[in-house]
Amino acid sequence: MSILEVKNLRKSFGNTEVLKDINFTLEAGEVLSIIGSSGSGKTTLLRCLNFLETPDSGLILVQGKPLFNSEDTTAKSDAEIRRSRQHFGLVFQSFNLFPQYTALKNVTLASELQAKERPDYKTNKKYILEDIRKNGERLLTQVGLFDKRDNYPHQLSGGQQQRVAIARALSLSPDILCFDEPTSALDPELTGEVLKVIKGLADHNTTMVIVTHEMQFAREVSDKVLFMDSGYVVEYGTPEEVFDHPQHERTQQFLLRYSGNE
Amino acid sequence: MFETVLLSLSEGFVKSLEVFFLTLIGAIPLGLLISFGSMSKFKPLSFLVKVIVWIVRGSPLMLQLLIIYFGPGLIFGNNWWGSGSEGRFIAAMVAFIFNYACYFSEIFRGGIEGIPQGQYEAGEVLGMTKSQIFFKVILMQVVKRIVPPMGNEVITLIKDTSLVRVISVYELMWNGQSFIKSSGLIWPLFFTGVFYLAFNGIVTLLLGYAEKKLDYFKV
Ligand SMILES: Nc1ncnc2c1ncn2[C@@H]1O[C@H](COP(=O)(O)OP(=O)(O)OP(=O)(O)O)[C@@H](O)[C@H]1O
Ligand SMILES: [Mg+2]
């Protein structure tokens, strides 16, 4: 069974239809890169997956279980939406770290808040928090920032902040980790360290959806590539299929523009 | 004579301090409530709240004191506040708390609206509840943003406490001025200035300390 299935997803803002019938599937352990020109709806798609936007219609299935179904008109409670969200993690273009917390606390905060709902929290508090801290330190080690665990975000470079944000997004062990142009806000010399971390996650079979303008990176890291244009999935396939043998003119034009830049 | 003056001024100063602290205690929570009202998605409510805030901030506090104290008696023929100094004090506190709550609400609103949307969204995608996001993520950033403007208001409040004398609440300056009539002395009035300055100095130090304490992060 596919880990993620998106069917007939549509989303409008007012009169502008931003997503027009989006369909794709993703297998566990695969990396999907989403490419496309500005305004084509890539961010909106990620935001729909993470329940930051509500699609107008369509279906989102995770491991065959519908998390969003426009046919199902029963209103979802806040708690249900929060539970659905747990399947996804999101790394933002602008990091969005919590400035008043250290790198480690940024990573552990959500886990700590969730632990409070455990029935055994009061009795095992010390061990639970100890576990959470260890997990946070493990994740910071994984992104190469263990020695920066006590730094506040403003004491970190952009690349380091984004790596903390990745560790934070991993802290609740999401099934699918989403990235929205994770390196676009970074100085060129800092993109490498972030891409390397993402590459490392791919090597460990983390299921990921990555919106990116880094074509070379997308080609290296992806199992599937999806080209979006004005709200449609125009091209979907392996990196070889999409980059080397694009079937559609719009894809060819887009890639030509990008290879010109590189 | 000096002792008599000092005693009288100290009594007045205690009254000024009461006005100061009760205003802060009342106006901060009320101001937060009003700021939520002005940010409400329910348009009629936010409009109404904004009009009230505009009126309160746009007219003199002294006028509001007079209207709140004399209004009920003159309009409804019934002095809600009770007679004597206690009634006057209650009316003064109502006027002060409401006035300052309106000023604070604008500061709170600016502080809350200045937090980037991404902070809320980062909390949301991590499965936090709305109240967890507010108390664990947003609040501290708002506090840091509002300490300087709140500090300005608090300094103004110290000086504004002298206004309660217009409805005969005997605070520091009233007592200082009374020596002009009773003994022909002007220096007690000047001496009240020392109290204001000293108190101001202490509050300024505390505010500076608070800002420093919040220096560990940047927003
Ligand atoms: N909240 C919103 N309200 C109205 N229109 C929106 C909103 N969010 C996005 N849009 C519009 O939807 C379209 C797609 O936006 P989106 O951000 O998804 O594009 P994108 O592919 O991520 O572009 P980019 O590469 O520049 O990030 C744009 O035309 C944008 O103006
Ligand atoms: Mg985008």
Side-chain angles (χ1 to χ4, degrees):
Chain A
M1 191 187 311
S2 304
I3 194 161
L4 175 65
E5 281 178 73
V6 173
K7 290 183 181 168
N8 307 114
L9 204 72
R10 289 170 180 273
K11 173 72 187 172
S12 304
F13 293 108
N15 289 330
T16 17
E17 196 169 27
V18 177
L19 299 180
K20 308 162 185 162
D21 198 28
I22 301 288
N23 295 278
F24 66 91
T25 59
L26 188 64
E27 305 303 320
E30 280 188 344
V31 176
L32 169 70
S33 289
I34 300 178
I35 57 173
S37 49
S38 185
S40 57
K42 306 180 298 294
T43 296
T44 307
L45 174 57
L46 281 195
R47 289 174 63 84
C48 286
L49 292 180
N50 284 274
F51 297 87
L52 291 174
E53 306 285 354
T54 313
D56 299 328
S57 66
L59 199 57
I60 299 173
L61 301 153
V62 170
Q63 282 156 347
K65 212 177 80 197
L67 293 189
F68 175 81
N69 182 354
S70 55
E71 308 279 282
D72 176 6
T73 47
T74 51
K76 284 249 181 333
S77 70
D78 275 3
E80 279 176 293
I81 292 177
R82 275 195 295 126
R83 229 169 301 125
S84 300
R85 277 204 174 111
Q86 307 278 302
H87 295 282
F88 295 91
L90 177 60
V91 174
F92 299 87
Q93 189 172 349
S94 51
F95 332 136
N96 296 346
L97 290 182
F98 306 132
Q100 73 268 44
Y101 295 123
T102 61
L104 180 61
K105 184 80 179 179
N106 262 280
V107 177
T108 57
L109 180 67
S111 306
E112 287 169 10
L113 292 173
Q114 281 192 359
K116 285 188 183 161
E117 290 163 26
R118 286 170 57 163
D120 62 339
Y121 182 69
K122 282 228 168 67
T123 44
N124 293 338
K125 183 171 173 181
K126 223 181 113 193
Y127 301 102
I128 292 174
L129 291 181
E130 179 68 14
D131 276 353
I132 291 174
R133 186 180 59 82
K134 280 203 182 118
N135 188 49
E137 288 178 349
R138 181 184 62 79
L139 290 168
L140 283 179
T141 308
Q142 193 178 345
V143 299
L145 289 172
F146 178 76
D147 57 328
K148 301 282 183 191
R149 63 194 179 284
D150 293 327
N151 284 35
Y152 289 89
H154 75 273
Q155 299 165 324
L156 299 172
S157 74
Q160 292 170 335
Q161 288 187 53
Q162 191 61 300
R163 282 146 68 196
V164 174
I166 293 171
R168 180 177 71 172
L170 287 167
S171 68
L172 297 173
S173 323
D175 297 320
I176 301 152
L177 185 55
C178 303
F179 295 82
D180 189 6
E181 299 191 35
T183 57
S184 294
L186 297 175
D187 292 335
E189 70 268 24
L190 298 178
T191 60
E193 61 187 72
V194 172
L195 296 180
K196 204 174 119 204
V197 166
I198 301 173
K199 188 92 196 350
L201 292 172
D203 293 342
H204 287 89
N205 296 321
T206 312
T207 313
M208 293 187 279
V209 178
I210 308 170
V211 171
T212 184
H213 288 297
E214 305 268 349
M215 295 304 151
Q216 191 51 40
F217 172 71
R219 181 196 276 271
E220 282 167 25
V221 82
S222 316
D223 300 289
K224 297 272 175 59
V225 177
L226 190 157
F227 171 65
M228 275 181 79
D229 190 52
S230 52
Y232 290 105
V233 177
V234 174
E235 195 108 20
Y236 178 57
T238 64
E240 293 73 30
E241 287 166 349
V242 174
F243 288 118
D244 299 334
H245 310 286
Q247 302 296 308
H248 298 266
E249 203 187 320
R250 276 183 294 180
T251 321
Q252 291 158 5
Q253 285 168 350
F254 174 81
L255 291 173
L256 210 61
R257 255 204 337 271
Y258 263 90
S259 60
N261 290 347
E262 270 174 352
Chain B
M1 193 66 216
F2 182 76
E3 273 170 31
T4 321
V5 170
L6 193 62
L7 190 68
S8 166
L9 294 190
S10 300
E11 274 170 25
F13 185 53
V14 169
K15 191 51 91 184
S16 300
L17 287 180
E18 279 177 39
V19 174
F20 176 80
F21 284 110
L22 287 176
T23 301
L24 285 186
I25 291 169
I28 289 175
L30 183 61
L32 198 58
L33 214 65
I34 294 174
S35 74
F36 286 140
S38 69
M39 289 183 289
S40 167
K41 289 202 179 75
F42 183 59
K43 286 285 174 268
L45 176 65
S46 72
F47 180 75
L48 181 73
V49 171
K50 279 181 183 158
V51 170
I52 292 172
V53 169
W54 179 74
I55 291 171
V56 171
R57 298 209 315 156
S59 64
L61 175 54
M62 196 190 283
L63 178 64
Q64 291 161 26
L65 265 172
L66 293 171
I67 290 175
I68 284 176
Y69 180 56
F70 291 112
L74 294 176
I75 298 167
F76 305 108
N78 170 6
N79 183 359
W80 299 346
W81 311 115
S83 57
S85 63
E86 201 167 314
R88 295 196 299 273
F89 184 69
I90 293 172
M93 287 323 303
V94 169
F96 264 66
I97 288 174
F98 196 59
N99 180 278
Y100 270 84
C102 287
Y103 276 95
F104 290 169
S105 79
E106 284 295 281
I107 294 176
F108 296 158
R109 187 165 69 92
I112 293 172
E113 286 178 346
I115 305 297
Q117 192 60 28
Q119 290 289 309
Y120 293 88
E121 293 181 350
E124 281 179 54
V125 295
L126 288 166
M128 295 185 198
T129 64
K130 288 215 161 64
S131 81
Q132 285 171 343
I133 292 173
F134 184 78
F135 286 106
K136 296 288 178 181
V137 176
I138 305 301
L139 187 60
M140 202 58 187
Q141 299 180 44
V142 174
V143 168
K144 183 175 169 87
R145 279 164 181 266
I146 67 177
V147 164
M150 283 294 281
N152 290 336
E153 289 302 322
V154 170
I155 300 282
T156 309
L157 172 60
I158 295 174
K159 294 173 283 179
D160 273 358
T161 56
S162 61
L163 288 174
V164 295
R165 63 198 296 278
V166 301
I167 57 171
S168 305
V169 174
Y170 304 140
E171 47 62 68
L172 177 57
M173 221 169 89
W174 173 291
N175 284 7
Q177 196 184 5
S178 70
F179 286 97
I180 298 177
K181 259 196 215 140
S182 63
S183 329
L185 295 176
I186 186 69
W187 65 264
L189 187 61
F190 292 154
F191 196 30
T192 64
V194 176
F195 281 80
Y196 287 112
L197 287 173
F199 189 41
N200 237 320
I202 293 168
V203 170
T204 307
L205 283 178
L206 287 176
L207 287 166
Y209 178 75
E211 275 187 52
K212 221 185 184 132
K213 270 272 157 192
L214 289 167
D215 244 5
Y216 69 93
F217 73 97
K218 301 251 180 308
V219 288

